[in-house]
Structures are given as structure tokens and as C-alpha cells.
Amino acid sequence: MDRMTTRLLAISLVMLPSLACVVITDPDDAEVGDGDGDTGDSTATDSTATDTGSTSTDSDSTDSSSTDADTSSTDSDSTDTDIPPGDCSGVGSSDLAGVCIWFPSPGESWTLAEVGAGITIPYHVIVEADVAEVIPQPQDDGGCGQPDASGLIVFALLQGGGQEYCLCDVGICPLTMDPVTIPAGDTPLEFDWNGVNWGGPSDTNNPFGPAFPAGEYTLEVNAIGTVGGVAFEVRNSFAVTLTE
């Protein structure tokens, strides 16, 4: 074999490995492709996280709505406690149609120190419509009771367990009452008490008696008289609890 032929063979052998290297490079390209696939997985994961955040936000919004509803309910309950009813249905007892005495609550508790300092129990006289030919009647011993803003003569008596507080004796006041018309309306009134026994000042300035002990008592508030010559009574009560 001559020198030229030998040289050509050597060149061919050198080129063959070079071609092989070109073929080996293809798997590397495939690995780059796999890397792109991994990148796609990462994008999908981020999208899921975003959805989760959105769900959390919706939940917070729902909780906020629930809180608002609870607040509205509380406000409504609070308001209803202090508003007198629109009519006298089921309020106390009454022989005078459309007229009643209403307490904001059925009762309350105080300590002896609290009542000793003085308490006030509110109530209302409710008259749905004008009532004509009413002659209110006082209930104190000397007949001194006078009609209040409601047009009735309301009398209060707190008692129980041998204890008693009232304005039962304020002197002697013989009165003659003429028929009147009781006007429609809502008249707020109060019962004031300093925690002691008492029957009223009379006309001799009777002193206060001993303090009520702890226990259960009842405040009765009523009004009596006649309407068209027929006797009536309007009444309601309030529970008083005294603690040490």
C-alpha cells in the first residue's frame, strides 16, 4: 500500500469518531427536554397554590358576613327590651279595655347596699285609645291620691315576708272625682324605694322603719275606679330579689 492510500485511511478513521460524537449528543438534547417538562410541573404547582389562597379569601369573607349578622341580631334584642308594646295584649291584667301597666322586665335583683342607697323601678301606663266616663279612685287611707299624667291614680305596694312599703297614709284628703276621659298614650312612671319598711308620712311625719332583709318580694302596681258606672282594675307585678 502506497503512502497516499495510508494517509486517506488515517483521515477516514479520524472522521468516524467525530460522527459518533454527533450521535451521542442527541440523548443530551432529550435531557434538556425533560428539564422543560419539570418546569411545567413547577408552574402547575404555583397555580394550585394560587387557587388555595383564593379559597381562603372566600372563607374570610363568609366569616365576616356571619359576624355582621350576629351583630344585627344583638342590636335588635337590645332595642326590643326597652320599647313598650304596641298594644296591651297579654300585658298584666285589666278590666279596662285597651289599658294596661307594663314593666320593661318581670323582675330584678339588688344587694341590700344598693337598695339602701336608693333604686328606681320604671314602668309604663299604656292606653291604646281614649276611654270616656272614667272615674279614677285613690287607694291610700285618706283618699289623697291624685291622677297622674295617664289620667289614672296608680298605687304601688311592695311587700312579702312581713315587710311592706307603700304610700298608704299621706294624710286625710276627702275628694270628689268627676268622670274624665283617659287619653290615648304611653305614660312612663317610676317607683322609688330606699330599701326600708314604711307606710307613708301620714300627717305626723312618720319615720322610716327597719330595712328589708334579703329575700324575695313583689311590687304590685294597680289603678282602680269605674267606667260608665262599672268597676275596673288595671294591675301588674314586678319581682324584687334582695341579696346580702
Side-chain angles (χ1 to χ4, degrees):
M1 181 177 298
D2 57 26
R3 181 176 297 177
M4 180 61 69
T5 301
T6 302
R7 189 172 181 180
L8 291 171
L9 288 172
I11 291 171
S12 298
L13 291 173
V14 171
M15 292 177 66
L16 286 173
S18 180
L19 292 173
C21 288
V22 173
V23 173
I24 292 171
T25 302
D26 291 339
D28 292 340
D29 293 339
E31 291 176 1
V32 172
D34 292 342
D36 293 341
D38 293 340
T39 301
D41 293 342
S42 176
T43 301
T45 301
D46 292 342
S47 175
T48 302
T50 301
D51 291 342
T52 302
S54 175
T55 301
S56 176
T57 301
D58 293 341
S59 176
D60 292 343
S61 175
T62 301
D63 292 341
S64 176
S65 299
S66 176
T67 302
D68 291 342
D70 292 342
T71 301
S72 297
S73 176
T74 302
D75 291 344
S76 175
D77 292 344
S78 176
T79 302
D80 290 345
T81 301
D82 299 326
I83 298 177
D87 59 53
C88 287
S89 299
V91 179
S93 62
S94 177
D95 300 319
L96 193 57
V99 180
C100 60
I101 295 171
W102 175 79
F103 287 96
S105 68
E108 195 168 340
S109 176
W110 292 272
T111 65
L112 295 178
E114 287 173 332
V115 296
I119 63 169
T120 296
I121 300 174
Y123 62 94
H124 293 240
V125 174
I126 299 172
V127 181
E128 296 178 13
D130 292 356
V131 184
E133 297 186 32
V134 175
I135 300 179
Q137 180 180 328
Q139 297 182 67
D140 61 280
D141 296 338
C144 294
Q146 294 288 319
D148 54 40
S150 71
L152 297 175
I153 302 176
V154 179
F155 180 77
L157 172 63
L158 176 63
Q159 62 181 347
Q163 314 297 313
E164 183 177 277
Y165 180 94
C166 65
L167 292 178
C168 296
D169 184 1
V170 295
I172 300 176
C173 314
L175 298 174
T176 300
M177 299 294 296
D178 296 321
V180 296
T181 295
I182 303 300
D186 171 14
T187 305
L189 299 170
E190 295 178 340
F191 172 78
D192 298 317
W193 183 47
N194 58 359
V196 301
N197 282 266
W198 197 45
S202 188
D203 51 7
T204 58
N205 293 320
N206 286 338
F208 291 128
F212 276 47
E216 304 287 334
Y217 304 96
T218 301
L219 171 63
E220 293 280 353
V221 178
N222 75 328
I224 63 174
T226 62
V227 55
V230 178
F232 72 82
E233 179 181 23
V234 182
R235 176 184 294 273
N236 206 345
S237 62
F238 180 89
V240 174
T241 300
L242 301 184
T243 61
E244 295 290 347

